[in-house]
Amino acid sequence: MRGFRLIVLLMAILAFSSCKTRKLAGRGASSQKDVAELFDKDYNAKTFNSQLQINANGVNAKGDLRIVKDKTIYLSLQAFLGIEVARLKITPDSLVAIDRFNRRYFAESFARLQELTSKGVNFYALQSLFTNKIFLNGQESLTHKDIDEFDWKNKGDETHLIPKKDSNCTFVLNGNRQLTETILTDASERFKLSWLYSDFSVIDAYDFPRQMEVNISSSKRKISSSLHFARIEFGRELNVECAIPSRYTRVNLDDILKIFSGL
């Protein structure tokens, strides 16, 4: 089912723990003070939600993204006439994905996913990707002191931030002090995730990109997805329930990987 495959694309993000770069134009390079202040970037409300227009390799879908800060990432995908076809809920401890069309689901703890993938799966990194924030994988948040955890280079109008403990990871800032791209790869660099940000708007004092492009590639294929954010709201009370129907069949990680390999 296409809806579930879109969910799998987002689940695949969790398999990555390092990153690289792509060049974008800006106005001027950032200073160390500018970079440290960007670590403070956050919205004041406890919740964030938005309607999404999603295109993944030519497949269009609508979605609802809901985030309860530091607690839950929830995504619902709808097909024609607004009928839900898939739902994903991620917490710091677990991940649940429901495929309503095929009456199946995937549920696993992050601890178990780490055992199976041998990678630093982290809820807070994924939350940062969706909300345009710099992060250190394995760490919940950043402070000004964390500037010492990065090497950084000015390249023309860009600033590249490279975590000292992960030389394959770079965040790219433009001259407007905006994070314009994060690229994640696995340790072998066989798989790469490029997450790009554009069309920034100030919403409730938060500088947020309304357009994101997510590209996942391997030696055999490339999957490109775009996310357009509409009706963005902060502070609204959100329903993030993800109850699993009793008659649904559980699938395991091997089944998920098969779906991903067939995308």
Side-chain angles (χ1 to χ4, degrees):
M1 176 58 198
R2 289 177 173 179
F4 194 61
R5 290 187 175 189
L6 289 171
I7 287 285
V8 173
L9 292 183
L10 295 175
M11 291 174 62
I13 295 166
L14 300 173
F16 298 96
S17 60
S18 57
C19 33
K20 288 188 177 179
T21 66
R22 179 175 180 265
K23 188 173 183 179
L24 289 172
R27 186 177 59 198
S30 300
S31 68
Q32 190 174 36
K33 180 181 177 181
D34 294 328
V35 172
E37 289 179 351
L38 191 57
F39 290 175
D40 294 331
K41 179 176 180 177
D42 203 355
Y43 48 92
N44 294 323
K46 294 182 179 179
T47 64
F48 164 92
N49 69 286
S50 176
Q51 292 184 350
L52 296 179
Q53 293 289 338
I54 304 170
N55 181 286
N57 274 23
V59 178
N60 293 306
K62 293 182 178 181
D64 288 320
L65 175 66
R66 304 171 188 176
I67 297 176
V68 180
K69 189 184 293 184
D70 299 332
K71 293 182 178 180
T72 305
I73 299 170
Y74 167 103
L75 179 64
S76 171
L77 293 176
Q78 299 96 39
F80 184 65
L81 298 178
I83 299 173
E84 185 179 64
V85 295
R87 184 179 295 191
L88 176 71
K89 180 177 180 179
I90 304 171
T91 70
D93 299 321
S94 64
L95 182 151
V96 176
I98 297 175
D99 174 6
R100 297 200 181 281
F101 186 82
N102 292 298
R103 297 178 179 271
R104 59 184 176 177
Y105 72 95
F106 173 84
E108 195 59 82
S109 68
F110 271 145
R112 179 58 176 157
L113 287 173
Q114 287 178 320
E115 291 177 5
L116 294 173
T117 63
S118 299
K119 303 191 189 310
V121 178
N122 185 274
F123 166 89
Y124 302 98
L126 182 60
Q127 179 178 247
S128 296
L129 286 168
F130 273 117
T131 55
N132 188 235
K133 294 169 63 177
I134 297 168
F135 58 88
L136 288 170
N137 198 37
Q139 192 166 311
E140 293 185 15
S141 61
L142 298 179
T143 68
H144 286 199
K145 293 180 180 180
D146 289 315
I147 191 67
D148 294 331
E149 299 299 320
F150 292 85
D151 288 322
W152 58 296
K153 301 177 181 178
N154 288 328
K155 297 187 176 182
D157 292 337
E158 296 178 354
T159 299
H160 293 188
L161 296 181
I162 307 168
K164 292 179 179 179
K165 294 181 180 179
D166 189 352
S167 60
N168 290 324
C169 178
T170 305
F171 300 94
V172 181
L173 312 182
N174 66 10
N176 295 319
R177 296 14 171 194
Q178 295 165 327
L179 174 62
T180 53
E181 185 173 17
T182 300
I183 298 179
L184 310 178
T185 66
D186 68 344
S188 68
E189 298 191 0
R190 292 178 54 207
F191 295 93
K192 182 170 68 173
L193 167 69
S194 169
W195 199 299
L196 298 101
Y197 306 94
S198 60
D199 192 17
F200 285 82
S201 298
V202 178
I203 305 168
D204 291 347
Y206 191 70
D207 193 21
F208 187 82
R210 290 182 175 271
Q211 190 72 27
M212 301 184 187
E213 295 182 19
V214 183
N215 300 309
I216 300 176
S217 60
S218 69
S219 57
K220 296 181 178 180
R221 69 185 75 246
K222 178 179 180 180
I223 304 164
S224 298
S225 305
S226 64
L227 307 175
H228 177 72
F229 290 71
R231 297 182 63 178
I232 298 168
E233 298 177 293
F234 295 96
R236 178 182 170 186
E237 187 173 344
L238 301 177
N239 179 3
V240 290
E241 292 298 320
C242 193
I244 301 170
S246 59
R247 295 185 179 181
Y248 279 29
T249 302
R250 183 170 184 168
V251 298
N252 58 36
L253 187 61
D254 287 339
D255 297 319
I256 294 295
L257 294 176
K258 288 177 182 177
I259 295 171
F260 179 58
S261 65
L263 290 171

